[in-house]
Amino acid sequence: MSPLEITRDAEIEVWALNRPAVRNALDPQTVAELHEALQRAERDGVRVVVLTGHGPSFCAGADLAYLLDCARTGQSPRPFLQAICELTVAMESSPVVFIAALHGHAVAGGFELALSCDLVIAASGALIGDGHVRNNLVPGGGSSVRITTKLGTGTATWLALSGELGTAESLAATGWLHAVVPPEELLLKAQDMARTLSATPAGAQRRFKTMLTADPAVTSAALEHELDVFEEHWASDDVAASLNAFLTNA
């Protein structure tokens, strides 16, 4: 079973993360397929992508079982996190417009994917946030680079340093969420937005998006610093024990 299910209607695609048994946690294969999907979408003239997830959650973050395996075998997860960072920069820089449709949980790596999308909507009751510190981790997929700009200093600092999750309703006031809708209307709302976006002249839309997007070189440098901090923390703290405790109690 592919970890990414793609459906297309004219110039619009819906990408559904498809690992529902693990709340669509990101592993190397999923990230690789997202990269491939983006490259193909750009070649094929896709205008808008709706990014969503099958099952109870949008995405609960990186696959902690994979990270724990890295810790136990002495491997660095940095190449995996680097791939996530490169994906988020590619999404931001792409002429394709991305709409994230969040439900259930959008946490850690799932939150970082949403932060790199152009527009974000959420189902009522969705729980959203960085969450890394709760598991003795720091972000490695871009949260520190984008969270303050997207959500504002007060909300961003609270979510980052407490590890708490906010409800979609509580985060609506930040302006980051374009809409909060009943769960049964989430995909319909995203697709309606996608149709409006795909009807806009492509050249003007593409050029306007470049003006709204941070300089990729600056973003890449900031992401590299985030990865350096992640690697330092990974080497200096007992991260494996924290991950093992979380998975044991999950």
Side-chain angles (χ1 to χ4, degrees):
M1 181 177 69
S2 172
L4 182 65
E5 183 181 276
I6 299 175
T7 56
R8 181 164 181 172
D9 180 10
E11 296 177 311
I12 298 167
E13 288 189 342
V14 175
W15 296 0
L17 300 172
N18 192 30
R19 304 183 73 213
V22 290
R23 294 184 181 270
N24 297 318
L26 300 173
D27 64 354
Q29 183 184 353
T30 305
V31 175
E33 291 202 16
L34 285 165
H35 273 284
E36 292 169 4
L38 177 53
Q39 292 167 1
R40 180 200 44 74
E42 291 178 347
R43 288 195 308 268
D44 293 351
V46 173
R47 293 283 308 278
V48 185
V49 166
V50 175
L51 182 61
T52 186
H54 286 317
S57 289
F58 171 73
C59 176
D63 192 327
L64 296 185
Y66 172 76
L67 294 183
L68 181 58
D69 185 61
C70 287
R72 286 172 173 168
T73 58
Q75 300 177 68
S76 170
R78 182 166 182 147
F80 168 55
L81 298 174
Q82 183 78 51
I84 295 175
C85 289
E86 291 171 356
L87 172 66
T88 62
V89 172
M91 289 167 61
E92 286 181 326
S93 304
S94 176
V96 177
V97 178
F98 280 88
I99 303 170
L102 313 181
H103 72 286
H105 290 78
V107 184
F111 179 56
E112 290 171 314
L113 278 182
L115 287 172
S116 68
C117 289
D118 302 291
L119 292 156
V120 184
I121 64 172
S124 55
L127 295 174
I128 304 165
D130 182 81
H132 282 100
V133 297
R134 293 186 303 169
N135 294 319
N136 191 25
L137 290 168
V138 294
S143 180
S144 71
V145 177
R146 300 182 177 96
I147 187 173
T148 300
T149 301
K150 298 281 188 171
L151 274 71
T153 301
T155 299
T157 302
W158 173 253
L159 294 179
L161 301 186
S162 70
E164 294 290 314
L165 306 179
T167 63
E169 291 83 352
S170 70
L171 295 179
T174 66
W176 177 54
L177 297 178
H178 178 77
V180 177
V181 299
E184 65 273 14
E185 297 178 15
L186 181 65
L187 190 55
L188 293 174
K189 175 65 174 176
Q191 291 171 321
D192 183 60
M193 291 170 61
R195 284 189 288 270
T196 299
L197 289 162
S198 67
T200 303
Q205 185 181 78
R206 179 178 67 252
R207 290 182 176 90
F208 208 149
K209 177 174 171 173
T210 66
M211 293 188 281
L212 297 173
T213 304
D215 184 340
V218 174
T219 300
S220 294
L223 290 170
E224 196 70 21
H225 173 67
E226 184 181 89
L227 288 169
D228 288 342
V229 175
F230 176 92
E231 199 160 41
E232 178 186 7
H233 177 72
W234 181 267
S236 64
D237 280 53
D238 193 4
V239 175
S242 299
L243 293 175
N244 193 52
F246 176 81
L247 290 171
T248 299
N249 297 321

